[in-house]
């Protein structure tokens, strides 16, 4: 692929937050997909507007911690570790806001409803479907695009954050 991968909460094993409730790391939070195209967590893009200053947009990517079940060894995979999305979003939002963007967008491979997975709720660390929680608990996002749970959901807003979800195979998209 000729584009940056963005998954702020997918870090190199052992670099996760020191306060990680499941498996504390050294706290350096080194995104797994960091390379010459991006830091692996977010990118900043400028978009021209005729006769006006460019719009500076920060785009942060996240992926559900549920992805760990598809890895050989899951959480013990020697290469990668999925941090809690809410915790990771709060950490990276501070770094993104220091860049002074006009707009902050999240692209989330994760579900909306934190109660969708049996046994999980708003207090579940590394919830598999935390998009609503990210919108409610992490100030600074303007738009969150999400998809993972295959639910059809119209646009909604939480704490002035626009949430746009799509159904599987792009059968339905929010505009």
């Amino acid at each position: 692929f000729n584009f940056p991968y963005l998954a702020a909460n997918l870090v190199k094993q052992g670099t996760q937050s020191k306060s990680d409730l499941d498996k504390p790391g050294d706290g350096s939070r080194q995104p797994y997909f960091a390379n010459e195209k991006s830091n692996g967590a977010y990118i900043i893009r400028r978009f021209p507007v005729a006769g006006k200053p460019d719009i500076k947009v920060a785009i942060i990517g996240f992926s559900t911690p549920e992805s760990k079940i598809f890895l050989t060894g899951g959480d013990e995979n020697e290469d990668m570790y999925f941090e809690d999305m809410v915790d990771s979003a709060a950490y990276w939002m501070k770094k993104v806001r220091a860049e002074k963007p006009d707009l902050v967008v999240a692209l989330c491979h994760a579900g909306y409803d934190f109660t969708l997975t049996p046994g999980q709720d708003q207090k579940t660390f590394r919830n598999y479907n935390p998009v609503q929680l990210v919108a409610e608990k992490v100030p600074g996002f303007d738009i969150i695009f999400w998809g993972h749970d295959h639910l059809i959901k119209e646009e909604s807003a939480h704490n002035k954050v626009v949430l746009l979800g799509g159904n599987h195979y792009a059968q339905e998209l929010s505009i």
Side-chain angles (χ1 to χ4, degrees), residues 2 25-26 37 45 48 57 60-61 64 67 80 85 100-101 108 119 134 136 147 160 164 175:
N2 193 21
D26 69 12
K37 295 183 188 304
R45 292 288 190 259
V57 179
I60 309 173
T64 175
S67 297
M80 56 182 71
M85 276 182 54
K100 299 185 185 227
C108 299
V134 169
E136 291 174 356
K160 300 181 183 178
L164 301 172
I175 300 173

Side-chain angles (χ1 to χ4, degrees), residues 9-11 13 15-25 27 29 63-69 75 81-91 114-115 117-131 133-134 137-138:
N9 66 313
L10 174 54
V11 298
Q13 183 70 260
T15 71
Q16 58 269 21
S17 170
K18 289 180 181 181
S19 60
D20 190 276
L21 297 179
D22 289 340
K23 189 175 182 183
R29 290 182 163 177
S63 188
T64 175
E66 184 179 20
S67 297
K68 71 183 180 180
I69 66 173
D75 281 343
Y81 182 81
F82 288 88
E83 290 190 303
D84 178 80
M85 276 182 54
V86 176
D87 182 56
S88 184
Y91 173 83
F114 54 84
T115 66
T117 300
Q120 294 192 353
D121 61 27
Q122 65 185 10
K123 294 180 182 177
T124 302
F125 188 72
R126 295 200 309 167
N127 190 296
Y128 291 174
N129 301 291
V131 169
L133 295 173
V134 169
K137 294 182 176 191
V138 182

